[in-house]
Amino acid sequence: MSRILVINPNSSVDMTRDIDAGLDVLRRNGGSEITCMTLAEGPREIETQEDVERVVLPVQNTIRQNEADGYVISCFSDPGLVLARETASRPVVGIAESSFLAALGLGHLFGVVAIHNRSIPRHMRNIRALGLEHRLAGDRALDIGVAEVRDAGVVDRVAKVGRTLRDEDHADVIILGCAGMGIYRTAIEDMLGIPVIDPTQVAVARLMGVIALGYARVA
Amino acid sequence: MSRILVINPNSSVDMTRDIDAGLDVLRRNGGSEITCMTLAEGPREIETQEDVERVVLPVQNTIRQNEADGYVISCFSDPGLVLARETASRPVVGIAESSFLAALGLGHLFGVVAIHNRSIPRHMRNIRALGLEHRLAGDRALDIGVAEVRDAGVVDRVAKVGRTLRDEDHADVIILGCAGMGIYRTAIEDMLGIPVIDPTQVAVARLMGVIALGYARVA
Amino acid sequence: MSRILVINPNSSVDMTRDIDAGLDVLRRNGGSEITCMTLAEGPREIETQEDVERVVLPVQNTIRQNEADGYVISCFSDPGLVLARETASRPVVGIAESSFLAALGLGHLFGVVAIHNRSIPRHMRNIRALGLEHRLAGDRALDIGVAEVRDAGVVDRVAKVGRTLRDEDHADVIILGCAGMGIYRTAIEDMLGIPVIDPTQVAVARLMGVIALGYARVA
Amino acid sequence: MSRILVINPNSSVDMTRDIDAGLDVLRRNGGSEITCMTLAEGPREIETQEDVERVVLPVQNTIRQNEADGYVISCFSDPGLVLARETASRPVVGIAESSFLAALGLGHLFGVVAIHNRSIPRHMRNIRALGLEHRLAGDRALDIGVAEVRDAGVVDRVAKVGRTLRDEDHADVIILGCAGMGIYRTAIEDMLGIPVIDPTQVAVARLMGVIALGYARVA
Amino acid sequence: MSRILVINPNSSVDMTRDIDAGLDVLRRNGGSEITCMTLAEGPREIETQEDVERVVLPVQNTIRQNEADGYVISCFSDPGLVLARETASRPVVGIAESSFLAALGLGHLFGVVAIHNRSIPRHMRNIRALGLEHRLAGDRALDIGVAEVRDAGVVDRVAKVGRTLRDEDHADVIILGCAGMGIYRTAIEDMLGIPVIDPTQVAVARLMGVIALGYARVA
Amino acid sequence: MSRILVINPNSSVDMTRDIDAGLDVLRRNGGSEITCMTLAEGPREIETQEDVERVVLPVQNTIRQNEADGYVISCFSDPGLVLARETASRPVVGIAESSFLAALGLGHLFGVVAIHNRSIPRHMRNIRALGLEHRLAGDRALDIGVAEVRDAGVVDRVAKVGRTLRDEDHADVIILGCAGMGIYRTAIEDMLGIPVIDPTQVAVARLMGVIALGYARVA
């Protein structure tokens, strides 16, 4: 049985618990063992580029010190992904890039619900770097703190932005631009009537396929 | 346990057997049950557009008459995919589109080994329709009959075209543009030193993820 | 004198009559003989992908059984176009692809008036497959039945959508995304003040040029 | 009967004669009357940007002083096209832009046979300005003087470059990047086995359609 | 000390004075000597394509007759740029192309404030010709005469259009699509809170770098 | 007088000296004061992604501790650029992004001479992220160590790769994909006959313009 390690690069044990709960749907008899861990030395939230940079080496160390058949970096900034891939001997996936790839297979035009307005240019650079700009419907922000992502009202706020992406930008699949919201995915899907992507879920599903097919690396 | 039906839309029982053998890597305790079936009324090979069109309604019927949690149309022309999606209540994936999506996650630029030169414009239209042309390194043909795909020498011929895609077109991942070659995948990978994609394998892996995550449709 | 056969692949004789009337502008002394015919075995309307697929072989047969110097498939889904081209020895054009090409020569950004919202992703795939996405201003739907296309109020409804494409999406040429509206073209043009394209008209004009110049095939 | 004026903006009466002969294929009973005229004040050849600029106003004057239903500027630099369109009340087409549009309807990837290497960046800017770069296979130069275009050996030289465009760049339709070669078109086509485009021929054919359909302007 | 000649190709001495004042920021001890001159034979304003064409040869003559280390053609239509480059032995830059290039380095998506609606398609062709369409947020017009550019209220009008580009089109850098507004740049910047580009300023700054680095030509 | 700090993020004092010498061309009476400094805690060379990540925070600290009017990070991996921009109150530019922008203004298609083959996918991601892929002619590697960049034979090796980029890939401007080669720029330019870009030179020139025009940040 293959083992997948999902790393939450911030120090919030609550978020790790939510990420973990959101992955239950992928836990099956005989399937991969999926373990979520918290980066103890990570910041409480990853909000700034400095937060991102400060976890790059700790994420690499975590991968080095925890043997597994594959690794997921569960933060929508994909912190440390390039370095982790350079040094790990097993496949490492980021949740942002995984969500963009998954969106191509679930709809014609994807919309992204960003946490902050200031993240949107970074998303755009990522999407263009992947050569996928022709499939992007739009990227719109909740403009809340990462902490509020776990608040009661988040489902309604996400659904409101999702409706704008669907109705004004013509998105027919929506990416939740943050980790830890997998537990709300089907609720939001019911409200919007189109597929909704939790980035960590699709990252794990992608990694399960990569491992099963025996690819040693992804890129 | 979910059930996946892989439909070989030509009538070659030998090819169905090879497709089936190439999927063993995805059969695990407790995983999806993967069944391959031959379209009895299909042509011996799908080589012309007329071959493609003649199997569109039979593929739809096969899906209607065989309950499963998801379907793979295992021919690199993706025959009948649009219709099957319109009418099926469960997800249906084609192997060509699945291979293009999978390639994005395994390398920077993908190369396609086509069976025939005359298929290349169709591949290009597909790749552009998916908005992925910036990730295509090249598409080069073996220029053999579909039947010869199952010949002894095919591995060497594919590896030769693959080397040209790698060395002249800068591909760092190669798609085998035909069903039934999964059994040769690791041999070709060893010869080329870069990831090689069997379209049916990645289509089944994609479908396993889609089913596990509870998406009713793909697009 | 060259002969052009325009095939209405649905069974509506009324629509064929409208298509025919819309082509009078192209009938000149000594010009091509333009004949419109109804596909008797076609559905009353082509609305679903199943409607499209069911006319593919009948369209091919019609072309085989009716000698001409060139053929137009007069339905905005371009049903059976790829197969017809493979087997016909004379040029065959579809009206959707012809309208996209014609739009490039009449304006800077084109807008499409779709009949249904659900057709828009198919249009987008076509436009991307042709590599023309940078020239698309927008695609907006009337959201009426194909039958209503022939209703009294259709001109006003099309003009309303056309105005949105012109004023919000910056289109300076509008494509009518359906056959049979050529008779209304100049009325809509007068209301919008920018060129309007009837796809069958430009398909026939294109074919007249292709035939005159002696090209045996188009692609 | 509509009248089309084809303006050769250089002063070579011999080239005008060749252009005229190349258009015989479009002269039919009852069709458009096609007249070719030489710009007496034009340079012997249009080779430099200064040659281009010096004919801009004379081309405009010629259009003003010669009433017709449409105008073709028959030089692959499309000199004066933007100005002519601004001031003429009837449609004006250039042969370069017309050839790029025509190529989209005759093949999947087009190749251009340029006269000079130094023209290639200008072609590329044109093709990108039209948003068509994804359909360009390649642009390769004969590297001869415009005068030599009318030499005996030109067919062989063009065919040689055309073969490279076809075999190395994967072009399946070839544009002759110069006026006056229409008389050689079918010979070159026979040598290459793929469609070849004489820009003046397709410009006239395009204009015939535009006039017949009653469009007052093109863009 | 290098000498840069900035040519205002219209005959408005007032506009030349404004252009000149807008360049004071680039005048430093020991820096380039920047001289602005009026094209006496130019039209009062450059509004039509005919205005553009009529200054092409005069601009070339002006460059020939005034020795300098580099030249700026200070009109957002870049009139005569291609010809000037062909014949000048020193670098010549246009202000429109320079503003598009500068925008890439100051923001993620640029917006253009056009004077007239009818200029927008020309801007789009330029931007596509440069291959930069993926970085364009939008292009919106003031719809005033060039003369009014120098009116009292222009700052407010520009700021209003700039806000729309920023808030609806997601531009994070704004180009003033006209010469002579450099004196208002910082005022507009203060109102918008994002970088604003005066095309002549960035053209001169670009040319200073090109000259300092010893490049004899730009392209 | 403005002060520009050029940071060599590796610890090679010899390379810093070469970078410094390559910038003499930009030192003029009354111009910016350009200072080059070595990151003492940097690795001997920046070859791996780990090398890149390890200098991110030191580069930020260096900027914090050294007041200047603008900063250049002089390594073709642009290490720490995103973080430095987030935290610095003055503009920070990277040399790779600056070289891509500069190339747009010096030629039609740019070629990149990479040090290593393994850097090419990273360059491609950068170029796509900037939306500039349509202007890239090709990227070819010397395949030498960074240390060898300072060897006697480097000019010939670079010129050889540059010729291939020019003759096979149609580049008309060449980027030297490494810091410290500015001292060889004109020699290589003489050998190739087309403009050659030293990334640090164009980064400094860009920054001089940005500072002179009073922009507080770049992006």
Side-chain angles (χ1 to χ4, degrees):
Chain A
M1 195 168 74
S2 66
R3 287 172 309 135
I4 289 177
L5 182 64
V6 178
I7 302 165
N8 171 17
N10 69 39
S11 60
S12 164
V13 175
D14 286 347
M15 181 173 274
T16 307
R17 195 182 312 123
D18 282 358
I19 292 172
D20 191 87
L23 296 172
D24 280 346
V25 67
L26 290 167
R27 291 183 172 107
R28 293 279 180 269
N29 282 341
S32 298
E33 179 188 296
I34 304 167
T35 307
C36 298
M37 69 178 282
T38 308
L39 191 72
E41 62 267 59
R44 231 175 52 82
E45 302 168 16
I46 293 186
E47 295 217 282
T48 64
Q49 186 66 21
E50 182 147 2
D51 294 334
V52 169
E53 304 290 1
R54 287 195 180 280
V55 301
V56 169
L57 296 172
V59 164
Q60 184 195 30
N61 284 337
T62 301
I63 289 173
R64 273 188 180 142
Q65 292 160 10
N66 292 275
E67 210 178 315
D69 296 295
Y71 302 88
V72 174
I73 302 173
S74 185
C75 165
F76 207 71
S77 303
D78 288 351
L81 180 60
V82 179
L83 175 58
R85 274 189 187 148
E86 184 182 85
T87 53
S89 59
R90 302 296 310 152
V92 186
V93 301
I95 66 169
E97 51 144 35
S98 295
S99 72
F100 301 139
L101 298 182
L104 301 179
L106 288 169
H108 298 99
L109 288 174
F110 64 92
V112 181
V113 180
I115 304 300
H116 303 298
N117 263 314
R118 68 168 179 273
S119 312
I120 293 178
R122 191 188 65 230
H123 298 171
M124 303 272 281
R125 275 198 306 270
N126 267 355
I127 291 166
R128 278 200 305 254
L130 289 164
L132 306 181
E133 64 271 28
H134 290 145
R135 302 291 294 278
L136 174 68
D139 193 330
R140 293 176 181 266
L142 296 173
D143 249 331
I144 58 174
V146 168
E148 294 169 72
V149 166
R150 302 189 47 262
D151 275 7
V154 74
V155 166
D156 288 333
R157 298 182 71 163
V158 167
K160 193 177 162 216
V161 173
R163 268 184 217 106
T164 308
L165 288 164
R166 181 194 66 192
D167 297 339
E168 296 188 18
D169 299 336
H170 312 295
D172 58 4
V173 55
I174 300 292
I175 294 172
L176 305 173
C178 187
M181 300 180 69
I183 49 180
Y184 308 121
R185 197 198 100 200
T186 52
I188 300 168
E189 231 160 27
D190 289 345
M191 294 168 85
L192 296 178
I194 54 177
V196 171
I197 289 174
D198 170 62
T200 312
Q201 287 182 348
V202 295
V204 172
R206 172 188 176 198
L207 194 51
M208 290 168 76
V210 165
I211 294 169
L213 290 170
Y215 293 108
R217 293 168 171 282
V218 296
Chain B
M1 195 169 73
S2 66
R3 286 171 308 134
I4 290 176
L5 182 63
V6 178
I7 301 165
N8 171 16
N10 70 38
S11 59
S12 164
V13 176
D14 285 347
M15 181 173 275
T16 307
R17 196 180 312 123
D18 282 358
I19 291 172
D20 191 87
L23 297 171
D24 279 346
V25 67
L26 292 167
R27 292 183 171 108
R28 292 278 179 270
N29 281 342
S32 298
E33 179 189 296
I34 305 165
T35 308
C36 298
M37 69 177 283
T38 309
L39 191 73
E41 61 269 57
R44 230 173 54 81
E45 302 168 14
I46 295 187
E47 295 217 282
T48 65
Q49 186 66 22
E50 182 147 3
D51 294 333
V52 169
E53 303 291 1
R54 287 196 180 279
V55 301
V56 168
L57 296 172
V59 164
Q60 183 194 30
N61 284 337
T62 301
I63 289 173
R64 273 189 180 139
Q65 290 160 12
N66 291 275
E67 210 178 316
D69 296 295
Y71 303 88
V72 174
I73 303 173
S74 185
C75 165
F76 207 71
S77 303
D78 288 351
L81 179 61
V82 179
L83 177 58
R85 275 190 187 148
E86 183 182 85
T87 53
S89 59
R90 303 297 309 152
V92 185
V93 301
I95 65 168
E97 51 143 35
S98 296
S99 71
F100 301 138
L101 298 181
L104 301 178
L106 289 169
H108 298 100
L109 288 174
F110 63 92
V112 182
V113 180
I115 304 300
H116 302 297
N117 263 312
R118 68 169 179 272
S119 312
I120 292 177
R122 190 187 68 230
H123 298 171
M124 303 271 282
R125 274 198 306 270
N126 267 355
I127 291 166
R128 278 199 306 254
L130 289 165
L132 307 181
E133 65 271 27
H134 289 146
R135 302 289 295 278
L136 174 68
D139 193 330
R140 294 177 180 265
L142 295 174
D143 248 332
I144 58 173
V146 168
E148 294 169 72
V149 167
R150 303 188 46 263
D151 276 7
V154 75
V155 166
D156 288 333
R157 299 182 70 163
V158 167
K160 192 175 163 218
V161 173
R163 267 185 219 105
T164 308
L165 289 163
R166 183 194 65 191
D167 297 338
E168 295 189 17
D169 300 335
H170 311 294
D172 58 5
V173 54
I174 300 291
I175 294 172
L176 305 173
C178 186
M181 300 180 71
I183 48 179
Y184 308 122
R185 197 200 100 201
T186 51
I188 300 168
E189 232 160 24
D190 289 344
M191 294 167 85
L192 295 179
I194 54 177
V196 171
I197 290 174
D198 171 61
T200 311
Q201 287 181 348
V202 295
V204 172
R206 172 188 176 197
L207 194 50
M208 290 168 75
V210 165
I211 293 169
L213 290 170
Y215 293 108
R217 292 165 172 284
V218 296
Chain C
M1 196 169 74
S2 68
R3 285 171 310 134
I4 290 176
L5 183 64
V6 177
I7 301 165
N8 171 15
N10 70 39
S11 60
S12 164
V13 175
D14 286 347
M15 180 172 277
T16 308
R17 197 181 311 124
D18 282 358
I19 291 172
D20 190 86
L23 296 172
D24 280 346
V25 67
L26 290 168
R27 292 183 171 108
R28 293 278 180 269
N29 282 340
S32 297
E33 180 188 296
I34 306 166
T35 307
C36 297
M37 68 177 282
T38 309
L39 190 73
E41 61 268 57
R44 230 174 51 82
E45 302 167 15
I46 293 186
E47 295 217 283
T48 64
Q49 186 65 23
E50 181 147 4
D51 294 334
V52 169
E53 303 290 1
R54 287 196 179 279
V55 301
V56 168
L57 296 172
V59 163
Q60 184 195 29
N61 284 337
T62 301
I63 288 173
R64 274 190 180 140
Q65 292 161 11
N66 291 274
E67 210 179 316
D69 296 296
Y71 303 87
V72 174
I73 302 174
S74 185
C75 166
F76 207 71
S77 304
D78 289 350
L81 180 61
V82 179
L83 176 58
R85 276 192 184 144
E86 183 182 84
T87 54
S89 59
R90 304 295 311 151
V92 186
V93 301
I95 66 168
E97 51 144 35
S98 295
S99 72
F100 301 139
L101 298 182
L104 301 179
L106 289 168
H108 298 99
L109 288 175
F110 64 92
V112 182
V113 180
I115 304 300
H116 302 297
N117 262 314
R118 69 169 178 272
S119 313
I120 292 177
R122 193 188 65 230
H123 298 171
M124 303 270 283
R125 275 197 307 269
N126 268 353
I127 290 164
R128 277 200 305 255
L130 289 165
L132 306 181
E133 64 271 28
H134 289 145
R135 301 291 295 277
L136 175 68
D139 193 329
R140 293 176 181 266
L142 295 174
D143 250 330
I144 58 174
V146 167
E148 293 169 74
V149 167
R150 301 188 48 261
D151 275 8
V154 76
V155 166
D156 287 334
R157 300 181 71 163
V158 168
K160 193 175 162 217
V161 173
R163 265 184 219 105
T164 308
L165 288 163
R166 183 193 64 190
D167 297 340
E168 296 189 17
D169 299 335
H170 312 296
D172 58 4
V173 55
I174 301 293
I175 294 171
L176 305 174
C178 186
M181 299 182 69
I183 49 178
Y184 307 122
R185 196 200 101 201
T186 52
I188 300 167
E189 233 162 23
D190 289 344
M191 294 167 85
L192 294 179
I194 53 176
V196 172
I197 289 174
D198 170 62
T200 312
Q201 287 181 348
V202 295
V204 171
R206 172 189 176 196
L207 194 51
M208 290 168 75
V210 166
I211 293 170
L213 289 171
Y215 293 110
R217 293 166 171 283
V218 296
Chain D
M1 195 168 76
S2 66
R3 285 173 308 135
I4 289 176
L5 182 63
V6 177
I7 301 166
N8 171 15
N10 69 39
S11 59
S12 163
V13 175
D14 285 348
M15 181 174 274
T16 308
R17 196 181 311 125
D18 282 358
I19 292 173
D20 190 87
L23 297 172
D24 280 345
V25 67
L26 290 167
R27 291 182 171 110
R28 291 280 180 269
N29 282 342
S32 298
E33 180 188 295
I34 305 165
T35 307
C36 298
M37 68 178 283
T38 309
L39 190 73
E41 61 268 59
R44 231 173 52 80
E45 301 168 16
I46 294 186
E47 295 217 283
T48 65
Q49 187 66 21
E50 183 149 1
D51 295 333
V52 169
E53 303 291 1
R54 288 196 179 279
V55 301
V56 169
L57 296 172
V59 163
Q60 184 194 29
N61 284 337
T62 300
I63 288 173
R64 274 188 180 140
Q65 291 161 10
N66 291 276
E67 211 179 314
D69 295 297
Y71 303 87
V72 175
I73 301 173
S74 184
C75 166
F76 207 70
S77 302
D78 288 351
L81 181 60
V82 179
L83 175 58
R85 274 190 187 147
E86 184 183 83
T87 54
S89 59
R90 305 296 310 152
V92 186
V93 302
I95 65 169
E97 51 144 35
S98 296
S99 72
F100 300 139
L101 298 182
L104 301 179
L106 288 169
H108 297 99
L109 288 174
F110 63 92
V112 182
V113 180
I115 304 298
H116 302 297
N117 262 314
R118 69 169 177 273
S119 312
I120 292 177
R122 192 187 64 230
H123 298 171
M124 303 271 282
R125 276 197 306 269
N126 269 354
I127 291 165
R128 278 200 305 253
L130 290 164
L132 307 181
E133 65 271 27
H134 288 146
R135 302 289 294 277
L136 175 67
D139 194 329
R140 292 176 181 265
L142 295 174
D143 249 330
I144 56 173
V146 168
E148 295 170 73
V149 167
R150 302 188 48 262
D151 276 7
V154 74
V155 166
D156 287 334
R157 298 180 73 163
V158 168
K160 193 175 163 217
V161 173
R163 265 184 219 105
T164 308
L165 288 163
R166 182 194 66 191
D167 297 339
E168 295 189 18
D169 299 334
H170 311 295
D172 59 5
V173 54
I174 300 292
I175 294 172
L176 305 174
C178 187
M181 300 181 69
I183 48 179
Y184 308 122
R185 196 199 101 200
T186 51
I188 300 167
E189 232 161 26
D190 288 345
M191 293 167 86
L192 295 178
I194 55 178
V196 171
I197 289 175
D198 171 62
T200 312
Q201 287 182 348
V202 295
V204 172
R206 173 189 175 196
L207 193 52
M208 292 168 74
V210 165
I211 293 169
L213 290 170
Y215 293 108
R217 294 169 169 281
V218 297
Chain E
M1 195 168 74
S2 66
R3 286 172 308 135
I4 290 177
L5 182 64
V6 178
I7 301 165
N8 171 15
N10 70 37
S11 60
S12 165
V13 174
D14 285 348
M15 181 173 274
T16 307
R17 196 181 312 125
D18 283 359
I19 292 173
D20 191 86
L23 297 172
D24 279 346
V25 68
L26 291 167
R27 290 181 171 111
R28 292 279 180 268
N29 281 341
S32 298
E33 179 189 295
I34 305 166
T35 307
C36 298
M37 68 177 283
T38 308
L39 190 72
E41 62 266 59
R44 230 174 53 81
E45 303 168 13
I46 293 186
E47 294 217 283
T48 64
Q49 186 65 22
E50 182 148 3
D51 294 335
V52 169
E53 303 291 1
R54 287 195 179 281
V55 301
V56 169
L57 296 172
V59 164
Q60 184 195 27
N61 284 336
T62 300
I63 289 173
R64 274 189 180 140
Q65 292 160 10
N66 291 275
E67 210 177 314
D69 295 298
Y71 303 88
V72 174
I73 302 173
S74 184
C75 165
F76 207 71
S77 301
D78 289 351
L81 180 60
V82 179
L83 175 58
R85 274 189 187 147
E86 184 182 82
T87 54
S89 58
R90 303 298 309 151
V92 186
V93 303
I95 66 169
E97 52 144 34
S98 295
S99 72
F100 300 139
L101 298 182
L104 301 179
L106 288 169
H108 298 99
L109 288 174
F110 63 93
V112 182
V113 180
I115 305 298
H116 302 297
N117 262 314
R118 68 169 179 272
S119 312
I120 293 177
R122 191 187 66 230
H123 298 171
M124 304 271 282
R125 275 197 306 270
N126 268 354
I127 291 165
R128 278 200 305 254
L130 289 165
L132 307 180
E133 64 271 27
H134 289 146
R135 302 290 295 276
L136 174 68
D139 193 331
R140 292 176 182 265
L142 296 173
D143 248 331
I144 57 174
V146 167
E148 296 170 73
V149 166
R150 302 186 48 261
D151 277 7
V154 74
V155 166
D156 287 334
R157 299 181 71 163
V158 168
K160 193 177 163 215
V161 173
R163 266 183 218 105
T164 308
L165 289 163
R166 182 194 64 192
D167 297 339
E168 295 189 18
D169 300 335
H170 311 295
D172 58 5
V173 55
I174 300 293
I175 294 171
L176 305 174
C178 186
M181 300 181 71
I183 49 180
Y184 308 124
R185 197 199 101 199
T186 52
I188 300 167
E189 232 161 25
D190 288 345
M191 294 167 85
L192 295 179
I194 53 177
V196 171
I197 289 174
D198 170 62
T200 312
Q201 287 181 349
V202 295
V204 172
R206 172 189 176 198
L207 193 51
M208 290 167 76
V210 165
I211 292 169
L213 290 170
Y215 292 109
R217 295 168 169 281
V218 296
Chain F
M1 198 168 75
S2 67
R3 286 172 309 135
I4 290 177
L5 183 64
V6 178
I7 301 165
N8 171 16
N10 69 40
S11 60
S12 164
V13 175
D14 286 346
M15 180 173 276
T16 307
R17 196 181 313 124
D18 282 357
I19 292 173
D20 190 86
L23 296 172
D24 279 346
V25 67
L26 291 167
R27 291 182 172 110
R28 292 278 178 268
N29 282 340
S32 298
E33 181 187 295
I34 305 166
T35 307
C36 297
M37 68 178 282
T38 309
L39 191 72
E41 62 268 58
R44 231 175 51 81
E45 302 168 14
I46 294 187
E47 294 217 284
T48 65
Q49 186 66 23
E50 182 148 3
D51 294 333
V52 169
E53 304 290 2
R54 287 195 179 280
V55 301
V56 168
L57 296 171
V59 164
Q60 184 195 28
N61 284 337
T62 300
I63 289 173
R64 274 188 179 140
Q65 291 160 11
N66 291 275
E67 210 178 316
D69 295 296
Y71 303 87
V72 174
I73 302 173
S74 184
C75 166
F76 207 71
S77 303
D78 288 351
L81 180 60
V82 179
L83 176 57
R85 276 191 185 146
E86 183 182 85
T87 54
S89 59
R90 304 297 308 151
V92 186
V93 302
I95 66 168
E97 51 144 36
S98 295
S99 72
F100 301 140
L101 298 182
L104 301 179
L106 289 169
H108 298 99
L109 289 174
F110 63 92
V112 182
V113 180
I115 305 298
H116 302 296
N117 262 314
R118 69 170 178 271
S119 313
I120 293 178
R122 192 188 67 229
H123 297 171
M124 303 271 283
R125 275 198 306 270
N126 268 354
I127 291 165
R128 278 199 306 253
L130 290 164
L132 307 180
E133 64 271 28
H134 290 146
R135 302 290 294 278
L136 175 67
D139 194 329
R140 292 176 181 265
L142 295 174
D143 250 332
I144 58 175
V146 167
E148 294 169 74
V149 166
R150 301 188 47 263
D151 275 7
V154 75
V155 167
D156 287 333
R157 298 182 71 164
V158 168
K160 193 176 162 215
V161 173
R163 267 184 217 106
T164 308
L165 288 163
R166 182 193 66 190
D167 297 338
E168 295 190 18
D169 300 335
H170 311 295
D172 58 5
V173 54
I174 300 293
I175 294 171
L176 305 174
C178 186
M181 300 180 70
I183 48 178
Y184 308 123
R185 198 200 100 202
T186 51
I188 300 168
E189 232 162 24
D190 289 345
M191 293 167 84
L192 295 178
I194 54 176
V196 171
I197 289 174
D198 170 62
T200 312
Q201 287 182 346
V202 294
V204 172
R206 172 188 177 197
L207 193 51
M208 290 168 76
V210 165
I211 293 169
L213 290 170
Y215 293 108
R217 292 166 171 284
V218 298

